[in-house]
Amino acid sequence: MPVITTIEDLHRIYRRRVPKMFYDYCETGSWTEQTFRDNCSDFAKIRLRQRVAVDMEGRSTATRMIGQDVAMPVALAPVGMTGMQAADGEIKAARAAEKFGVPFTLSTMSICSIEDVAAHTEKPFWFQLYVMRDQDYLANLIQRAKAANCSALVLTLDLQILGQRHKDIKNGLSAPPKMTIPTMANLATKWGWGLEMLQTKRRFFGNIIGHAKGVTDASSLVDWTASNFDPRLDWSQVRKLKEDWGGKLILKGILDAEDARRALDVGADAIIVSNHGGRQLDGALSSIRALPSILRAVGDQIEVHVDGGIRSGQDVLKAVALGATGTYIGRAFVYGLGAMGEAGVTRALKVIHKELDTTMALCGRKSIDGLDRDILLVPKDFEGDWA
Ligand SMILES: Cc1cc2nc3c(=O)[nH]c(=O)nc-3n(C[C@H](O)[C@H](O)[C@H](O)COP(=O)(O)O)c2cc1C
């Protein structure tokens, strides 16, 4: 059993274990990947103030996100095709999150369906919605999320059209993988993954097959998804979706103060400052760099969450000290899942929790709610002087 002390340890095992097609799908950004890289490297530009001789006993990382108790301010981000990173991946990740006491967000583009995840978990999870052209399908999806008792709808706003990831095109990404010669050669070296995959029936997009009109098998699914993300999504539809849903609404993909004000206007409960993990607009600011201006615009009126580039508890601490109420991890939990299944997701959460707790203490603080910018050393030009 390898000794795991960092998210990078899980990443290395993940890379060896999972087929190249799905590793590449996770580990890429769009076009030149500038934003993808900046998401991580900008966190490293912020430093921490070491404080000493402060009583560190009785610390707690517990707090609340959209009114829900969380063991630490970290949720699992929605990740499409999680069930291709490990067999039954969404169920495994949701169970790990539930046991740890952090929210799990199920993607519209998941392999395990809403109903399937609900049947294998005890507490409500969050559902991420992509807006599709097919209005009947969309209305039904919202109803299904309500029926499964999902406690928040995370509406993704930054993917009306797809940013291009070169490797996905070159690899012929699909779920399940098409058996080309390069894919078969690669799969032959990933027998651990393959054996588990052979034992599950969950290998297609569970929220779509059998629910969307005319989609009954994998071949019709490809055409349907390619043409069904709705490019017409606008703020009036966001407002309407909020009414249709009727519960807690989190708007994901906000990277601009003006859009943050629009989100406030439509009555969202929280926003996620996000550039989709660098997978959509290449050249956009990193999330952590965009966060301060958005906090100045709306931070006292709405919960501001952030994702993108979080690979450690130190990153979580920096985001929260800047003013975020919560953070999300995408790739960090996928590495754990691909490396070791449910236990790997738990391991990823434990690594981040320990880093967060210890680093908070070494900054002289005992609780998440008491954190502020005072523990940070932020370069004067961090936000950039853009014209
Ligand atoms: C492989 C992969 C698939 C993703 N699929 C979705 C998705 O289905 N819906 C969504 O809103 N965001 C999706 N995202 C974006 C994540 O929710 C999140 O914004 C991003 O992963 C955060 O960056 P990080 O991976 O650096 O933590 C995906 C990200 C990755 C890496």
Side-chain angles (χ1 to χ4, degrees):
M1 191 67 170
V3 180
I4 309 285
T5 59
T6 66
I7 294 296
E8 187 49 32
D9 291 337
L10 291 168
H11 183 194
R12 273 194 295 272
I13 304 171
Y14 163 64
R15 184 172 201 165
R16 282 201 299 272
R17 205 170 182 278
V18 171
K20 180 178 184 311
M21 176 185 292
F22 300 117
Y23 174 82
D24 284 350
Y25 168 61
C26 174
E27 203 51 22
T28 40
S30 52
W31 288 289
T32 70
E33 305 190 327
Q34 179 183 51
T35 301
F36 170 57
R37 287 188 299 275
D38 286 355
N39 271 349
C40 287
S41 58
D42 281 348
F43 267 106
K45 291 180 184 143
I46 300 176
R47 303 294 158 83
L48 298 163
R49 273 180 77 195
Q50 173 175 305
R51 303 302 303 276
V52 295
V54 178
D55 177 1
M56 291 177 186
E57 205 157 78
R59 297 184 306 281
S60 169
T61 59
T63 180
R64 290 166 86 75
M65 287 171 77
I66 57 159
Q68 296 181 18
D69 288 328
V70 290
M72 60 177 173
V74 178
L76 268 52
V79 169
M81 289 208 268
T82 295
M84 282 290 124
Q85 304 290 355
D88 309 331
E90 288 89 2
I91 292 174
K92 289 175 181 164
R95 289 165 77 114
E98 178 173 293
K99 286 181 202 150
F100 204 91
V102 294
F104 170 77
T105 319
L106 183 72
S107 166
T108 294
M109 302 307 291
S110 59
I111 301 296
C112 305
S113 68
I114 305 176
E115 293 78 8
D116 215 359
V117 175
H120 289 88
T121 50
E122 274 158 30
K123 294 188 201 136
F125 53 92
W126 297 354
F127 181 67
Q128 175 265 326
L129 184 72
Y130 278 132
V131 177
M132 302 294 188
R133 279 181 190 272
D134 181 339
Q135 293 300 304
D136 293 342
Y137 171 77
L138 190 63
N140 185 247
L141 196 55
I142 294 174
Q143 283 314 314
R144 289 169 59 201
K146 277 190 205 174
N149 208 17
C150 292
S151 54
L153 188 73
V154 176
L155 176 58
T156 299
L157 299 178
D158 61 1
L159 201 139
Q160 282 153 281
I161 53 168
L162 268 181
Q164 180 167 309
R165 295 183 302 270
H166 305 308
K167 286 182 186 165
D168 289 352
I169 297 173
K170 288 173 177 142
N171 289 333
L173 175 73
S174 66
K178 277 190 215 74
M179 287 301 152
T180 61
I181 289 169
T183 302
M184 284 197 295
N186 183 248
L187 285 182
T189 66
K190 312 288 178 185
W191 52 268
W193 177 92
L195 281 178
E196 283 177 16
M197 220 29 105
L198 284 174
Q199 289 165 48
T200 181
K201 288 196 209 98
R202 304 178 182 101
R203 292 197 286 263
F204 303 93
F205 290 98
N207 288 329
I208 299 175
I209 280 204
H211 295 283
K213 262 187 258 113
V215 183
T216 46
D217 60 19
S219 57
S220 44
L221 179 71
V222 175
D223 294 340
W224 187 86
T225 28
S227 58
N228 240 288
F229 284 96
D230 194 345
R232 300 164 302 179
L233 172 65
D234 62 11
W235 287 105
S236 66
Q237 198 180 357
V238 174
R239 198 181 285 278
K240 182 172 174 309
L241 285 165
K242 179 182 157 53
E243 280 161 24
D244 294 348
W245 168 247
K248 297 265 183 188
L249 178 72
I250 304 175
L251 295 182
K252 178 172 186 280
I254 304 287
L255 209 64
D256 190 278
E258 266 176 47
D259 287 336
R261 285 190 205 99
R262 303 296 296 265
L264 186 65
D265 247 23
V266 298
D269 295 281
I271 56 172
I272 310 178
V273 176
S274 173
N275 48 40
H276 219 100
R279 297 162 78 80
Q280 284 294 97
L281 179 62
D282 185 39
L285 286 187
S286 69
S287 311
I288 195 66
R289 235 182 188 197
L291 178 66
S293 63
I294 292 176
L295 283 164
R296 282 196 296 277
V298 298
D300 54 346
Q301 297 164 80
I302 188 172
E303 272 192 32
V304 178
H305 304 170
V306 65
D307 76 15
I310 294 175
R311 303 286 183 273
S312 69
Q314 286 86 339
D315 294 341
V316 174
L317 185 78
K318 289 171 183 176
V320 173
L322 277 177
T325 312
T327 67
Y328 297 71
I329 50 170
R331 293 177 180 90
F333 94 77
V334 173
Y335 300 161
L337 178 72
M340 302 160 66
E342 182 179 331
V345 179
T346 304
R347 184 75 359 245
L349 290 167
K350 280 188 176 162
V351 164
I352 289 178
H353 180 261
K354 180 155 191 231
E355 290 167 340
L356 172 63
D357 177 53
T358 308
T359 311
M360 181 173 79
L362 293 173
C363 289
R365 300 298 176 91
K366 292 209 291 195
S367 74
I368 293 295
D369 297 336
L371 291 177
D372 55 37
R373 207 176 164 126
D374 206 41
I375 66 163
L376 302 179
L377 298 167
V378 184
K380 287 214 170 72
D381 61 350
F382 182 66
E383 288 180 56
D385 190 11
W386 311 100

